[in-house]
Amino acid sequence: MNAPWKPGMMTIRDPFQAYVCDDWTAEAIRPLILEQGWSPDRVVKGGLRGAVQSLAVSASPQILLVDLSETADPTTEIGNLAEVCEPGTVVIAVGQVNDVRLYRMLMSSGLHDYLLKPIGADQLRDTIAQARTIVHAPRLTDSTPEKTPCSVAVVGARGGVGTSTVATSLGWLMADRLERRTAILDLDVHFGTAALSLDLEPGRGLVDAIDNPSRIDGLFLERAMVKASEKLAILSAEAPIGAPIMTDGMAFAQLQDEMRANFETTIVDLPRGMMIQQPMLVSAAQTIVLVTEFTLAAARDTIRLLSWLKIHAPQSTVLTVANRVQPAALAEIAQTDFEGSIERPVDILVPYDLKLMVQAAKMGKTVAEQGRSSRTVAPLIDLAQRICASVEGTANATPTRRGLLDRFDFRALMPKRPKDD
């Protein structure tokens, strides 16, 4: 069976669990369970519906037996079971309906076998033996080398500069173009638009994590995240406006840790106010993307944020992205004046394309997906590639002895070359 999202996480799982509907079936199964060295307590009442309710909040076993006798709609209930079962779970169903169409449906849903009641001891023993063989069989591994983990925080110099547009497009490009398992975490709990940009319902996972930080682990992450594509998942919220979020930031930091452990790329859409209040949220980011625009107010705030990041995130690579760049005649501040103000060149220039923005919003797609060949998307592709190249270059660098001199960036101390006219 398959869960909604499979980022390759490992959880401690029981070898066997059975959910039956009647005492006779339970008594028929327990002796065979003892033969396998398993506890007879692993056989409980509840049937298929009980299995779905239980596994929604706990790890599924390696081998699962479910009784369909009291299930009115097996097709729907099996689908619900697939939503809560972890990948690799071997499911055996038992029931009293002898129907070839039902059997084919169950097999096509991913079940290992369907046994008719009353259950024969030899038949069940053989089925369990086959299931154990599947569980312990060597897994085929992907020959593709594991990609270097990449952690990115996207922060806006001001509201309305298109931070979420850049974050979601970057996530889509990482997953689709660079084929990296990617997670997007939208920390604007009340008004975040990351899920909206991907035409998804945000769900309650993020709010639950804030309310119960102790629940955050790999299994919780698997249940809470919403899958946008084969390699892209998102965790966001749309909390009620009248319900203020009370947190010291530890839940957010723990979520980021779990994501980094289970995804190749983690992108955090981080409101600047939350970043200032909770500096820990950028302390582990390898790359910080600071989204800005060519206006006087954005220049002022970019200067202040760059100074703040030097103190609170000195280990991170900061890339400045000028979004919604218009022709020079329409810009509030010229690019050269902006760069002179912030005392560094802008790394990425993203041209403004109103038509593309409107089309992407109408279609429920990221700007990068909607405008694959657009001149607006080309700089975002460059941004994704630069982030990955920077991370992989750091990971592949030859280790050397670190001394006092290694702590300084000598390139930053060298005089800047004058720009050509």
Side-chain angles (χ1 to χ4, degrees):
M1 303 292 281
N2 289 321
W5 177 250
K6 184 178 68 173
M9 59 188 65
M10 296 296 293
T11 52
I12 299 175
R13 303 167 64 183
D14 292 320
F16 180 85
Q17 182 72 50
Y19 295 86
V20 299
C21 295
D22 57 85
D23 293 331
W24 191 95
T25 303
E27 293 304 318
I29 293 174
R30 286 192 177 107
L32 300 177
I33 301 309
L34 285 171
E35 290 180 10
Q36 306 294 328
W38 300 328
S39 170
D41 294 338
R42 307 311 300 174
V43 181
V44 298
K45 287 285 195 70
L48 178 55
R49 181 161 297 182
V52 173
Q53 293 174 349
S54 176
L55 299 181
V57 294
S58 63
S60 55
Q62 295 174 333
I63 301 172
L64 173 65
L65 187 146
V66 291
D67 193 339
L68 308 183
S69 301
E70 297 177 356
T71 304
D73 185 2
T75 303
T76 301
E77 291 295 333
I78 287 294
N80 294 336
L81 181 66
E83 290 294 319
V84 299
C85 267
E86 294 179 57
T89 301
V90 180
V91 181
I92 302 168
V94 299
Q96 51 196 14
V97 177
N98 188 5
D99 186 340
V100 67
R101 290 174 298 179
L102 174 63
Y103 177 82
R104 288 174 178 171
M105 182 277 293
L106 294 175
M107 295 302 102
S108 65
S109 298
L111 269 66
H112 171 64
D113 204 351
Y114 174 65
L115 307 179
L116 284 174
K117 297 169 65 174
I119 304 171
D122 292 338
Q123 186 181 26
L124 181 57
R125 187 180 291 109
D126 291 343
T127 300
I128 291 177
Q130 294 169 9
R132 296 192 72 167
T133 300
I134 294 173
V135 168
H136 298 294
R139 298 286 190 267
L140 295 176
T141 58
D142 190 351
S143 59
T144 304
E146 190 73 15
K147 296 180 175 64
T148 305
C150 177
S151 176
V152 184
V154 185
V155 183
R158 291 187 62 77
V161 297
T163 307
S164 295
T165 299
V166 172
T168 52
S169 290
L170 192 57
W172 185 86
L173 289 168
M174 289 284 191
D176 186 80
R177 294 289 185 94
L178 303 182
E179 297 185 346
R180 299 174 67 93
R181 294 196 315 274
T182 302
I184 298 176
L185 174 60
D186 186 351
L187 290 185
D188 189 343
V189 181
H190 290 97
F191 301 103
T193 59
L196 190 64
S197 300
L198 294 163
D199 196 25
L200 297 171
E201 291 290 336
R204 279 196 48 86
L206 183 53
V207 175
D208 290 343
I210 297 169
D211 293 339
N212 302 285
S214 61
R215 289 186 56 199
I216 299 173
D217 57 15
L219 180 61
F220 174 85
L221 200 64
E222 183 180 350
R223 299 282 188 264
M225 298 201 74
V226 180
K227 188 174 180 180
S229 68
E230 189 62 31
K231 290 184 176 290
L232 178 63
I234 184 171
L235 183 60
S236 63
E238 198 173 285
I241 298 176
I245 299 299
M246 306 299 293
T247 176
D248 59 359
M250 291 306 298
F252 297 143
Q254 193 170 343
L255 278 172
Q256 291 186 62
D257 289 341
E258 286 294 337
M259 287 182 174
R260 282 191 289 268
N262 294 289
F263 291 86
E264 294 166 337
T265 301
T266 301
I267 297 174
V268 182
D269 187 346
L270 179 59
R272 62 174 183 168
M274 182 178 291
M275 179 185 71
I276 299 300
Q277 294 174 4
Q278 309 290 345
M280 70 181 75
L281 298 180
V282 292
S283 61
Q286 295 163 304
T287 304
I288 299 172
V289 176
L290 183 57
V291 184
T292 186
E293 60 184 0
F294 290 149
T295 64
L296 182 61
R300 180 201 64 181
D301 291 348
T302 300
I303 294 169
R304 299 174 69 192
L305 288 172
L306 287 172
S307 177
W308 187 90
L309 289 169
K310 282 183 180 180
I311 298 172
H312 294 91
Q315 77 294 335
S316 303
T317 299
V318 179
L319 298 176
T320 53
V321 175
N323 193 32
R324 300 178 179 176
V325 176
Q326 303 196 53
L330 300 177
E332 184 177 323
I333 297 180
Q335 179 181 344
T336 53
D337 293 336
F338 185 91
E339 292 176 333
S341 298
I342 68 173
E343 298 183 344
R344 59 175 287 171
V346 173
D347 297 289
I348 300 290
L349 299 171
V350 182
Y352 186 51
D353 187 338
L354 177 59
K355 183 178 179 181
L356 174 59
M357 298 286 292
V358 171
Q359 289 176 339
K362 287 182 176 180
M363 299 301 294
K365 295 181 179 180
T366 66
V367 169
E369 182 180 6
Q370 182 65 30
R372 294 171 184 257
S373 59
S374 168
R375 67 189 183 95
T376 297
V377 176
L380 295 173
I381 297 173
D382 181 32
L383 174 63
Q385 293 172 338
R386 287 181 63 172
I387 291 171
C388 290
S390 174
V391 171
E392 291 170 359
T394 302
N396 294 331
T398 303
T400 58
R401 284 184 61 187
R402 292 185 58 83
L404 180 62
L405 297 180
D406 294 315
R407 301 179 186 177
F408 295 92
D409 182 3
F410 285 97
R411 289 184 298 176
L413 302 178
M414 295 175 63
K416 296 181 180 179
R417 294 177 57 187
K419 294 184 178 180
D420 295 333
D421 295 331

